[in-house]
Amino acid sequence: MIILWLLVPLACNNGKLQDQFMQPFATYHRFISLCMYLAGFLGFVLSLVKKHYLRQFTLFGYTHVTLLLIVTQSHFIINNIFNGLIWFLLSTTLVICNDIWAYIFGFFFGKTPLIKLSPKKTWEGFIGGGFATIIYGILCAYALIRFDFFVCPISYSESQGISMQCERSHVFQVAHYNVPATVKSLFALVGVELTILKLYPFIFHTIMMACFASLIGPFGGFFASGFKRAFKIKDFGDSIPGHGGLMDRFDCQLLMGTFVYVYYITFLSPANPERLLKMVLQMKQEEQLEFFSLLQTALKGQGQL
């Protein structure tokens, strides 16, 4: 470790040497992380003491819950940022908006308790906050979608460096939708002729995220409330006067980052030609030629060549 610490400044003073030095860590970072975890696991097993089994395994459990809730969430949120800032900004502010409007509706109209873990939460606040979050999501999406800076994935190449310019995905381009006959007739009653609806497909995904932030997101806060009650504490910290710690402000974000990441990977993740090219270039020469032959055969079969 001391040798590694001494080599880092030397590598950082030379751009080419820096790339050569960091390349193995970037390529094998998952395996390196696994090895470090396994080393910690072996150290834990070897350090077990008969009189302290219960306490040691309790701390072991706490550590893994922290890794799951904090480290895993951070990993997914960082991936959301790289997929495009709009996925991070919109999902984060949706949860904040829901929290604010649920409080406002609950304060003025709340009468029916929602859950025992949080006695101040009401059905009126829960429902009102949900509708307000959907409206906010649509307005915010229209504001952000106009700028490539927010919708383009972050890409990196050795020649151009970090770039946030791209050819927009179809999700961020206006599409035309035929209006159902039932809806047409309803608008016709008020003298409005509506046959085609022009809309960004991303708006539908925004509504899905807003529904999740309104219906499932608050349960992250309920989980945090139950956790604090179990340990008989009011707040996780005191870094923000009157609000507790950072965790008290971000407890409802526990599930949102994971949902957005999985949603994007499942339904929207496009094939990345640059990433595929990097993978091909890492192959042996004969494997590259075999890949080229298979690709050529597949494209001919589809009539594209």
Side-chain angles (χ1 to χ4, degrees):
M1 291 301 293
I2 296 176
I3 296 174
L4 181 62
W5 178 75
L6 291 172
L7 286 175
V8 168
L10 177 62
C12 292
N13 289 331
N14 187 309
K16 187 175 181 180
L17 182 59
Q18 180 183 6
D19 291 340
Q20 295 175 351
F21 178 79
M22 296 303 297
Q23 185 62 41
F25 296 99
T27 304
Y28 305 112
H29 69 278
R30 290 186 177 88
F31 186 76
I32 293 171
S33 299
L34 176 62
C35 290
M36 293 176 68
Y37 171 80
L38 292 176
F41 179 81
L42 293 176
F44 168 77
V45 174
L46 294 174
S47 67
L48 288 173
V49 179
K50 187 174 182 180
K51 294 181 179 180
H52 304 294
Y53 282 164
L54 181 59
R55 179 173 178 81
Q56 287 179 299
F57 276 101
T58 301
L59 294 174
F60 184 79
Y62 288 161
T63 302
H64 280 75
V65 169
T66 303
L67 289 173
L68 178 64
L69 296 181
I70 306 300
V71 179
T72 305
Q73 282 289 315
S74 300
H75 171 72
F76 290 147
I77 290 173
I78 290 171
N79 276 278
N80 292 337
I81 294 174
F82 280 107
N83 291 333
L85 283 175
I86 194 169
W87 296 101
F88 168 72
L89 292 175
L90 187 60
S91 62
T92 303
T93 55
L94 281 172
V95 174
I96 296 172
C97 173
N98 180 257
D99 198 21
I100 293 172
W101 282 102
Y103 173 79
I104 293 174
F105 276 94
F107 181 82
F108 287 104
F109 308 107
K111 294 181 179 179
T112 311
L114 175 63
I115 189 169
K116 292 181 179 179
L117 282 173
S118 297
K120 295 182 179 180
K121 304 290 185 181
T122 63
W123 277 103
E124 291 79 6
F126 185 75
I127 297 171
F131 281 109
T133 303
I134 293 174
I135 295 172
Y136 163 80
I138 294 173
L139 296 176
C140 184
Y142 268 109
L144 296 177
I145 210 171
R146 297 161 53 201
F147 305 98
D148 289 343
F149 179 81
F150 293 111
V151 303
C152 288
I154 299 174
S155 59
Y156 173 80
S157 64
E158 295 182 359
S159 59
Q160 298 180 351
I162 296 176
S163 173
M164 300 185 72
Q165 300 295 324
C166 67
E167 182 179 347
R168 286 190 169 219
S169 166
H170 70 280
V171 176
F172 301 110
Q173 298 180 13
V174 176
H176 297 76
Y177 298 94
N178 293 322
V179 178
T182 306
V183 178
K184 288 182 184 178
S185 59
L186 291 175
F187 276 92
L189 293 175
V190 294
V192 177
E193 185 179 353
L194 184 65
T195 56
I196 296 178
L197 185 63
K198 297 180 180 180
L199 201 65
Y200 288 104
F202 181 73
I203 298 301
F204 297 112
H205 303 299
T206 297
I207 294 173
M208 288 296 298
M209 289 191 289
C211 290
F212 184 89
S214 304
L215 300 176
I216 310 298
F219 283 84
F222 301 153
F223 172 85
S225 296
F227 191 89
K228 287 185 284 188
R229 287 176 180 273
F231 289 90
K232 297 179 181 180
I233 57 176
K234 182 180 179 181
D235 298 312
F236 285 113
D238 55 2
S239 58
I240 306 175
H243 292 272
L246 289 174
M247 189 61 186
D248 294 287
R249 293 297 88 208
F250 288 91
D251 51 8
C252 291
Q253 300 281 357
L254 288 175
L255 303 174
M256 194 68 191
T258 301
F259 171 77
V260 173
Y261 173 76
V262 174
Y263 183 88
Y264 179 88
I265 292 297
T266 304
F267 299 107
L268 296 169
S269 181
N272 191 324
E274 293 183 0
R275 188 179 302 171
L276 291 176
L277 178 61
K278 288 181 180 179
M279 293 175 64
V280 172
L281 293 176
Q282 290 176 355
M283 298 178 180
K284 297 179 181 178
Q285 185 175 3
E286 57 270 20
E287 293 175 337
Q288 293 176 351
L289 294 173
E290 182 182 358
F291 175 81
F292 175 76
S293 177
L294 291 172
L295 179 61
Q296 189 178 38
T297 303
L299 291 176
K300 285 181 178 179
Q302 295 177 358
Q304 298 185 32
L305 288 179

